[in-house]
Amino acid sequence: MRIGDVLYFSPRFRFSDLDVDDSEKLIEALQDRLMGFYLAPASRLLGTGDAFAAGLLCCTAIDFVALCSGDEHPDGWLRKNIPDFGDDEALAGNFWNWFRHGLVHEGRIKALGQFSLDFPRLLNVVGPALVVNPQLLLEAIQGAFQSYFEQLDKTQSARLVKRLQRYFRAEIAAARE
C-alpha cells in the first residue's frame, strides 16, 4: 500500500524498513500484514454487518497465507488448518471454487453459495446451497494463523523468509531506490 511517497508492506512496516536477513522482524511484519490488511478489516466489516465483503477478505487471507506458508494449495490448507473442513476434499474444493474463485474472478459466489451471519456453524448445507458464516470463518483463520506462527521452527522460518523475499523482491528493491 502506498501512502504519499512511501510503500508499505503492512500498516506498521515500510518496504524500505524490511531487512530480509532479520527473519524475526520479517515474520513480525508478515503477521502485521495479515492482521492489518486482511483480518482486522474483515472484523471491522463484520461489525457493521458486511458479511459479503468480510468473506471476500477471508478468502484472500487464506490465499495469501497458503501461498506464503508452503507449496500447499489453499483447499489443502483449509483441510489441514480449519477443522470444520475436516478431511473433506470435495467440501474444501467446492468452497474454494465457488467462494474464492467466484468472488475474485466473477464478483459473485457460484453454485448458490452464500455468506450469512445467521447460522451457528461455520459451514451449513441448506438444500443445494453451501452457506458460510464469515464470522466463524474469520475466527478459524485467526486461530490457524496464530497456531502456524507459534509452531514455526527455524527451518520453516527460513523457508518462509525465502518465499517472502521471492514474492516481494521487486517492492523491496524499489523502496530502497
Side-chain angles (χ1 to χ4, degrees), residues 13-27 29 161 165 172 176:
F13 293 89
R14 299 177 297 189
F15 273 101
S16 61
D17 295 335
L18 294 182
D19 179 357
V20 294
D21 295 321
D22 185 346
S23 61
E24 193 172 303
K25 186 172 182 180
L26 195 56
I27 291 170
V161 166
Q165 290 171 329
I172 292 169
R176 295 209 170 132

Side-chain angles (χ1 to χ4, degrees), residues 72-175:
E72 196 166 14
H73 190 274
D75 62 354
W77 185 91
L78 285 167
R79 290 191 320 273
K80 182 178 172 185
N81 293 284
I82 307 294
D84 292 73
F85 286 97
D87 200 25
D88 192 331
E89 192 172 327
L91 180 61
N94 287 342
F95 171 81
W96 201 246
N97 289 321
W98 299 344
F99 285 75
R100 189 277 183 189
H101 290 329
L103 288 165
V104 171
H105 298 296
E106 299 177 23
R108 68 184 185 98
I109 303 170
K110 300 179 187 183
L112 302 175
Q114 302 156 28
F115 285 121
S116 177
L117 297 170
D118 295 335
F119 288 81
R121 293 184 15 227
L122 191 150
L123 302 170
N124 307 274
V125 177
V126 180
L130 177 60
V131 182
V132 174
N133 183 320
Q135 178 67 52
L136 299 177
L137 179 61
L138 175 63
E139 291 169 8
I141 294 167
Q142 288 171 320
F145 288 169
Q146 182 176 349
S147 177
Y148 171 74
F149 286 113
E150 287 172 356
Q151 294 176 20
L152 269 180
D153 63 26
K154 211 170 203 167
T155 302
Q156 293 167 323
S157 293
R159 282 195 305 254
L160 175 60
V161 166
K162 282 186 179 185
R163 283 186 204 101
L164 292 172
Q165 290 171 329
R166 186 173 69 239
Y167 299 146
F168 295 104
R169 180 177 293 132
E171 291 87 348
I172 292 169

